[in-house]
Amino acid sequence: MGNPLRILHVVVNMNRGGAETLIMNLYRNIDRTKVQFDFLTCKAGAFDEEILNKGGKIHRIPYVSDVGHIKYLKALNQFFDTHKSYPIIHSHLDKMSGMVLRSARKAGIPVRISHSHNTQSEGGLAARIYKWLVGKFIIPNSTTLFACSNDAAKWLFQKKSSTSHILKNGIEYDRFSFSNEVRKQIRAELMLDDQTFVLGHVGRFAHQKNHTYLIDLFAEFNKVRENAVLLLIGDGPLRPTIEEKVRKLGLEKKIRFLGVRSDINRILQGLDIFVFPSLHEGLPVALIEAQGAGLPCLISDCVSTEVDLGMNLVNYAPLNNTEAWINKMKRITASQMERKSEQVAFSNKGYDIAATANKIEDFYLTISG
């Protein structure tokens, strides 16, 4: 058998974020004798060891925010000048993909994929203007457009969005299926008794995820449900700010920071409600996983309705109405619905990662000739 087709995925780092989790889910489920993933990153990541163990290569260049535009562009050009053999580059940097794909085109890389995972840029005004400018290079330098949802496609590709391929953020849903036994185990590990009502959130501590609002919501909810606890899974630049807010509110014993976890599938079993007040999203993997665990989800109306798998688990609330959130939390707690996982929804709606991996594998092999 010949060597596998090597695909270069471009990310900032391979940490446990939504896009990175999707890439790893695909990587684990493709036939690596036919297709192999390599990575161009700027920083070390949590998945690096697993990537190397699976035969992937990790290349590293400095990131634009650390070295500035000129040095970053130089590093990109030098990399592609010395790695022209890649037949396909698959960039996951949203608007920043413009610079990457332009350098790849100049180096003669034939297939250049831009993949949208979001619906809005992060950062301050200067950063967003910069991203808007470099984002203009995406359409002229891409051969193929991918997005996790229709909203994500419209944001990044605008008039060209109708030509994009929608690749849904699938999961290995059998790993998330609800188990009462695992629920007991994880609650024992976290020292939570049966009477404790547990809210949870999975997400990076960044502006987009709206942790400040989440803490305010919990503080109000805690007044009507005194046996409630909030678990926050993830890490990020705003974590110290949120920890300080929790201290000021005197909620240290009620809100737990669990950090980055590799056992999210187990932790979800121990929750009673998943709360997700994001300011914007593409199609968050965390919400697909929560539904896979049969969890009621209370989410902001800024999140695409495409994330709802039709399992009667997703409830929307507006971010300008705290009372609506609290009322919906109370209704969910009162209903005490039976937890179950409806696996058929994942297959029927395209969220089965094995099927998605087969789809992307066939695409790579076909487009590379």
Side-chain angles (χ1 to χ4, degrees):
M1 184 177 285
N3 293 326
L5 178 71
R6 302 196 82 94
I7 313 299
L8 183 70
H9 287 269
V10 184
V11 293
V12 175
N13 57 33
M14 283 304 293
N15 275 337
R16 297 183 188 277
E20 296 81 7
T21 297
L22 169 67
I23 297 167
M24 289 306 296
N25 284 342
L26 292 170
Y27 192 23
R28 295 176 187 124
N29 283 275
I30 59 169
D31 183 345
R32 290 188 297 280
T33 65
K34 295 179 180 177
V35 175
Q36 177 59 256
F37 286 4
D38 292 343
F39 295 83
L40 176 59
T41 71
C42 299
K43 302 172 184 178
F47 290 124
D48 288 1
E49 185 177 352
E50 183 181 352
I51 290 167
L52 296 172
N53 289 338
K54 283 182 164 48
K57 299 174 184 175
I58 301 174
H59 308 284
R60 197 99 72 211
I61 62 171
Y63 192 51
V64 63
S65 60
D66 296 325
V67 297
H69 174 82
I70 301 299
K71 288 184 178 178
Y72 178 62
L73 188 57
K74 184 179 180 182
L76 275 175
N77 289 335
Q78 285 178 341
F79 173 82
F80 285 114
D81 282 344
T82 54
H83 294 83
K84 294 183 178 182
S85 61
Y86 280 107
I88 299 173
I89 174 178
H90 193 150
S91 181
H92 304 268
L93 300 181
D94 287 335
K95 288 191 182 293
M96 291 301 295
S97 290
M99 290 178 69
V100 175
L101 296 167
R102 186 175 66 165
S103 290
R105 183 182 62 80
K106 286 180 178 177
I109 292 179
V111 179
R112 302 175 300 278
I113 302 170
S114 176
H115 198 143
S116 178
H117 294 275
N118 220 319
T119 55
Q120 193 173 311
S121 289
E122 284 293 290
L125 180 61
R128 293 200 306 274
I129 291 172
Y130 176 73
K131 290 175 182 177
W132 176 75
L133 289 169
V134 299
K136 289 185 173 295
F137 293 119
I138 289 176
I139 299 303
N141 294 291
S142 300
T143 60
T144 310
L145 307 175
F146 275 31
C148 63
S149 68
N150 289 305
D151 287 347
K154 289 171 187 171
W155 170 67
L156 194 60
F157 308 134
Q158 297 177 0
K159 292 179 181 177
K160 291 285 186 178
S161 63
S162 61
T163 67
S164 64
H165 302 265
I166 303 300
L167 193 72
K168 293 184 177 179
N169 292 347
I171 64 168
E172 296 171 305
Y173 55 74
D174 53 331
R175 292 180 59 237
F176 291 85
S177 295
F178 179 67
S179 161
N180 210 41
E181 190 60 37
V182 175
R183 178 179 173 85
K184 290 176 183 175
Q185 289 173 5
I186 197 69
R187 282 199 165 220
E189 290 170 25
L190 296 173
M191 292 179 286
L192 299 166
D193 60 35
D194 289 341
Q195 281 68 50
T196 304
F197 188 81
V198 186
L199 298 83
H201 178 271
V202 179
R204 188 167 176 265
F205 283 82
H207 176 69
Q208 169 187 1
K209 301 298 181 181
N210 208 9
H211 283 86
T212 297
Y213 189 72
L214 177 57
I215 301 306
D216 289 336
L217 285 175
F218 180 77
E220 287 300 311
F221 182 70
N222 189 55
K223 294 174 183 176
V224 296
R225 189 76 186 243
E226 292 183 358
N227 65 336
V229 166
L230 172 62
L231 304 182
L232 300 177
I233 298 102
D235 208 344
L238 295 184
R239 178 170 169 174
T241 303
I242 300 302
E243 287 176 332
E244 178 62 23
K245 182 181 178 77
V246 169
R247 280 192 294 271
K248 285 182 177 178
L249 290 171
L251 292 171
E252 301 100 315
K253 293 181 179 178
K254 292 298 194 88
I255 299 178
R256 300 191 195 174
F257 294 80
L258 301 189
V260 175
R261 301 283 296 235
S262 59
D263 60 345
I264 287 171
N265 57 315
R266 294 180 68 246
I267 292 175
L268 291 174
Q269 312 293 318
L271 303 183
D272 294 302
I273 179 174
F274 194 83
V275 188
F276 204 76
S278 287
L279 297 170
H280 58 90
E281 290 284 350
L283 199 146
V285 174
L287 280 173
I288 305 300
E289 293 173 342
Q291 289 174 84
L295 258 179
C297 302
L298 181 56
I299 72 179
S300 84
D301 58 5
C302 298
V303 180
S304 170
T305 55
E306 292 174 72
V307 82
D308 187 345
L309 295 179
M311 296 157 66
N312 296 318
L313 292 171
V314 175
N315 301 269
Y316 289 89
L319 290 174
N320 61 357
N321 189 341
T322 300
E323 187 179 353
W325 285 79
I326 302 302
N327 288 337
K328 291 195 177 193
M329 284 183 190
K330 288 193 286 189
R331 278 204 296 274
I332 292 169
T333 61
S335 67
Q336 292 296 318
M337 61 186 293
E338 181 186 354
R339 290 279 292 280
K340 58 183 178 178
S341 297
E342 297 182 44
Q343 297 188 357
V344 68
F346 288 84
S347 298
N348 290 350
K349 297 207 173 188
Y351 291 94
D352 174 5
I353 195 63
T356 307
N358 287 336
K359 181 179 176 181
I360 192 74
E361 182 183 307
D362 289 344
F363 177 84
Y364 287 146
L365 292 168
T366 301
I367 203 167
S368 67

